[in-house]
Amino acid sequence: MVFSFLLMRMANINFSKVKLMFAYVFAFLIVNELFTFLFAPMEGVKIFGTQHVLFVISERYIVTAEQIFYQLTKFLKYISVIPLGMIFLFTTNPSELASALNRIGVHYKVAYTLALTLRYFPDVQRAYVDISLSQQARGIELSSKAKLRDRFKYGLFILIPLIFSSLERVEKISNAMDLRGFGKYKKRTWYTTKNFTSEDYLALGISGLILIISILIGVFVNNGRFYNPFL
């Protein structure tokens, strides 16, 4: 996790630009952990095959060391991957990525769909900021000074215009693609493309090495993909 944040720093990604996204993701992870325990309180026991009871809430909800370790591991896994996703979104040119995928055999429709998806995230973020500032200019208090209940209520004044503006943007893009005959031919050319460099081959080599090590650890260490400290 620390390594991921260091990579964000090296990529010159200002945390203030993504802190709101991190806040939403962190809230989602907390809710995910809560619902994991509510709907599968014995999942850790099933995975590790042992049961060390810490305390009992009710007949169904028994807090075990295995469940806590399982949910902590899942939480750390998600929180470690998120910064890497941020680096990918903020440092990757969608058009170059789409053309590269097409060059290695991915159909251009799939590659272009991925490029549009990557372009959509910063567009939504900019639209969210613009709508929020517009609502605050109209006198709606959305800062931390407002009560949590009021901030949640006023958040609908941002969410609803954001949804409609997003749908309008999707319609404009689809109409533009239809007018340009997108999908008429089996192949297409790309306006932007980028050739492989030595750094790219080095990154692929390191990624492949990490993948091989991960597979070997999952196969030969501890007889499975889960580290089991309770054996």
Side-chain angles (χ1 to χ4, degrees), residues 109-137:
K109 292 183 180 180
V110 178
Y112 200 79
T113 301
L114 178 60
L116 288 177
T117 303
L118 293 179
R119 290 183 181 277
Y120 188 72
F121 288 108
D123 289 342
V124 171
Q125 186 178 15
R126 284 192 293 267
Y128 175 86
V129 173
D130 293 340
I131 296 172
S132 176
L133 293 177
S134 299
Q135 298 291 8
Q136 293 182 58

Side-chain angles (χ1 to χ4, degrees), residues 33-56:
E33 291 291 307
L34 177 61
F35 277 90
T36 298
F37 181 74
L38 289 177
F39 291 100
M42 304 300 289
E43 185 66 23
V45 174
K46 294 179 182 179
I47 292 174
F48 298 113
T50 59
Q51 182 173 351
H52 296 81
V53 179
L54 299 180
F55 57 91
V56 178

Side-chain angles (χ1 to χ4, degrees), residues 9-206:
R9 188 66 177 176
M10 294 172 60
N12 295 323
I13 298 176
N14 193 348
F15 184 75
S16 61
K17 295 181 179 180
V18 296
K19 64 179 181 180
L20 182 62
M21 190 178 299
F22 266 99
Y24 283 125
V25 170
F26 188 79
F28 168 78
L29 292 179
I30 296 298
V31 173
N32 179 267
E33 291 291 307
L34 177 61
F35 277 90
T36 298
F37 181 74
L38 289 177
F39 291 100
M42 304 300 289
E43 185 66 23
V45 174
K46 294 179 182 179
I47 292 174
F48 298 113
T50 59
Q51 182 173 351
H52 296 81
V53 179
L54 299 180
F55 57 91
V56 178
I57 300 176
S58 65
E59 183 179 354
R60 171 178 170 79
Y61 297 108
I62 302 174
V63 179
T64 62
E66 287 81 1
Q67 184 70 16
I68 291 178
F69 184 78
Y70 161 68
Q71 293 195 210
L72 178 63
T73 303
K74 187 173 69 169
F75 180 84
L76 292 177
K77 178 180 68 175
Y78 289 152
I79 206 68
S80 300
V81 171
I82 290 169
L84 296 178
M86 297 293 180
I87 295 172
F88 178 78
L89 289 176
F90 281 89
T91 60
T92 303
N93 186 303
S95 298
E96 292 179 357
L97 176 63
S99 63
L101 290 175
N102 185 232
R103 289 174 62 184
I104 63 175
V106 179
H107 197 277
Y108 74 87
K109 292 183 180 180
V110 178
Y112 200 79
T113 301
L114 178 60
L116 288 177
T117 303
L118 293 179
R119 290 183 181 277
Y120 188 72
F121 288 108
D123 289 342
V124 171
Q125 186 178 15
R126 284 192 293 267
Y128 175 86
V129 173
D130 293 340
I131 296 172
S132 176
L133 293 177
S134 299
Q135 298 291 8
Q136 293 182 58
R138 293 180 174 90
I140 297 177
E141 183 61 62
L142 296 172
S143 65
S144 57
K145 297 179 181 179
K147 297 180 180 179
L148 181 60
R149 181 183 61 184
D150 294 335
R151 291 171 63 184
F152 179 79
K153 179 178 66 176
Y154 294 146
L156 296 176
F157 295 155
I158 300 177
L159 182 61
I160 294 175
L162 183 62
I163 293 174
F164 281 104
S165 64
S166 300
L167 294 176
E168 183 181 3
R169 187 180 298 109
V170 169
E171 184 179 3
K172 288 181 178 179
I173 293 175
S174 62
N175 290 336
M177 293 172 66
D178 288 338
L179 290 173
R180 288 168 173 79
F182 184 83
K184 181 179 180 180
Y185 302 102
K186 293 183 178 180
K187 295 183 179 180
R188 62 158 293 168
T189 57
W190 298 88
Y191 180 74
T192 57
T193 186
K194 195 172 185 179
N195 295 323
F196 264 58
T197 62
S198 57
E199 289 82 1
D200 297 320
Y201 287 109
L202 178 61
L204 284 176
I206 294 175

